[in-house]
Amino acid sequence: MSSSRTSAAEPSPEAPPETSPETTAAPAPLITAEDVRRELYRLFGTGDAGEELVVSIYGGEQDGDAVAAYEELMRSLAMHAEGQVAGGLPDARVATPDAKTIERALLVLARRDLQRELLDHILTTFGGHLIDPLTELLDTGPDGAIRAQLELVRARVLDDIRDLGVTHETRAILIGDLEKLLGADYLSMLAEHEEQVQRPRVRRMAREILRVIGNAFHAAFERWPSHARAIARAARRRVGDEVPLRELPTLIRSQVVSGVEEFLWVETSNDIQGALNAMFATQRGILSHPPELERDAYREFADRCWHLVTSRL
């Protein structure tokens, strides 16, 4: 992954490229694939492919109407994938699947393996976004935050000397000596030293951010079955009783994704932002303000949920 983003995929077996003695080795990332795997293990256990999986379908064997509606929903999704014109009778109007059918489809997300897959994605993307500011703080390059602060201090000191009420010769001596002392090499050395001191603290904070995100979303997933019904009913109500066949999957998707987005935002955002505020308040020497959550990320997670539902049915 990049300096803050990671993937739960196994690391590549390829050997790293050779570097010349003059090349400075890239610093170790704050969060690694192993950090994400460890967090998933804490929340879900081993996640072995062979673990027992039980999927419950509610309804009697004689419930023919429900089965027919469910099959109609799946046929419609297959004919109208991602907004393409449905085959057969694109202008025909069809009955919208009832709320119970939509709810059954949404309950697929109660499966632990799918929740684990979704949380893996959230930790590696959303977690990376929240950790990015910490990574930038440790950038010791010419444009890094530490170096920039040191250069500002040097500029202020030199400006103060220029304003001293002394002779031009005295100012020139002071400025010359300080410019030699606070040269580029010296500032680089100070920036690298600060990075070495700060990195352990920042890495601990990055791991704690992963834990906060994991706890919040895992708790939301635990509450998912009790919310799936409300989302299904709201989606069914907004779509209506009967719609053109070509529009059915797009309409259902739009309403379901909006409902899932709202659910994830309400269930996790306050907990995550509150934990970040408290965390950064105790570590003011690292960053003055915690990163803000972005609602767009939740839309992307909701789209991911829809993909998991439709691909596993």
Side-chain angles (χ1 to χ4, degrees):
M1 69 172 184
S2 65
S3 59
S4 64
R5 301 190 183 210
T6 184
S7 170
E10 293 297 328
S12 171
E14 297 179 1
E18 296 184 358
T19 57
S20 63
E22 295 79 11
T23 302
T24 301
L30 291 178
I31 293 300
T32 65
E34 182 57 33
D35 293 321
V36 174
R37 280 194 289 270
R38 188 161 40 242
E39 183 64 16
L40 293 173
Y41 178 85
R42 181 181 71 85
L43 294 168
F44 292 99
T46 61
D48 293 335
E51 69 182 358
E52 183 180 3
L53 174 65
V54 178
V55 179
S56 299
I57 303 296
Y58 300 95
E61 295 181 359
Q62 306 303 320
D63 191 1
D65 291 341
V67 173
Y70 186 82
E71 292 177 346
E72 176 62 29
L73 173 60
M74 293 303 99
R75 283 196 298 271
S76 297
L77 291 172
M79 288 189 295
H80 198 305
E82 302 300 331
Q84 299 175 1
V85 176
L89 301 173
D91 295 325
R93 297 183 68 83
V94 296
T96 304
D98 59 25
K100 183 178 293 187
T101 300
I102 300 174
E103 179 188 355
R104 287 173 181 166
L106 293 180
L107 285 174
V108 169
L109 289 177
R111 287 170 44 175
R112 288 175 61 85
D113 61 325
L114 298 190
Q115 291 181 358
R116 181 186 174 94
E117 180 178 340
L118 181 60
L119 186 55
D120 184 355
H121 176 72
I122 290 172
L123 290 175
T124 56
T125 57
F126 194 52
H129 163 72
L130 295 180
I131 293 168
D132 277 346
L134 301 180
T135 303
E136 294 170 2
L137 178 68
L138 295 178
D139 184 0
T140 58
D143 298 324
I146 299 175
R147 179 63 178 270
Q149 293 179 43
L150 291 172
E151 289 180 348
L152 284 175
V153 170
R154 180 178 64 182
R156 286 198 297 267
V157 170
L158 293 176
D159 286 342
D160 288 343
I161 292 175
R162 292 186 181 97
D163 292 337
L164 284 176
V166 296
T167 64
H168 171 75
E169 290 78 5
T170 301
R171 282 198 301 271
I173 293 172
L174 274 173
I175 290 173
D177 289 343
L178 283 172
E179 285 180 338
K180 291 176 183 178
L181 172 63
L182 302 178
D185 292 341
Y186 184 71
L187 294 185
S188 295
M189 181 274 292
L190 290 177
E192 290 174 4
H193 175 74
E194 179 67 9
E195 191 270 348
Q196 292 173 4
V197 173
Q198 286 276 45
R199 177 165 286 275
R201 297 172 59 197
V202 173
R203 179 162 173 75
R204 286 194 296 270
M205 180 174 284
R207 286 175 172 170
E208 184 60 25
I209 289 175
L210 276 190
R211 180 175 292 266
V212 165
I213 296 171
N215 286 342
F217 277 92
H218 186 259
F221 294 156
E222 292 293 320
R223 296 188 288 269
W224 172 250
S226 63
H227 288 266
R229 176 174 298 180
I231 293 173
R233 288 178 174 176
R236 175 62 175 77
R237 183 175 63 253
R238 290 169 181 155
V239 171
D241 296 332
E242 189 177 275
V243 295
L245 176 59
R246 75 168 76 203
E247 298 177 9
L248 176 61
T250 302
L251 291 172
I252 292 180
R253 172 177 180 149
S254 175
Q255 295 303 323
V256 167
V257 168
S258 294
V260 174
E261 176 191 349
E262 183 69 16
F263 163 76
L264 292 175
W265 175 262
V266 170
E267 294 293 318
T268 68
S269 61
N270 285 338
D271 290 342
I272 294 175
Q273 193 67 67
L276 291 178
N277 291 341
M279 189 187 311
F280 279 79
T282 62
Q283 299 288 345
R284 293 191 180 277
I286 294 181
L287 280 181
S288 58
H289 301 289
E292 295 291 333
L293 303 188
E294 293 184 358
R295 184 65 180 262
D296 289 347
Y298 282 80
R299 182 71 179 188
E300 194 271 332
F301 300 152
D303 281 327
R304 190 86 170 192
C305 289
W306 173 265
H307 171 73
L308 291 175
V309 168
T310 57
S311 64
R312 298 308 196 277
L313 290 174

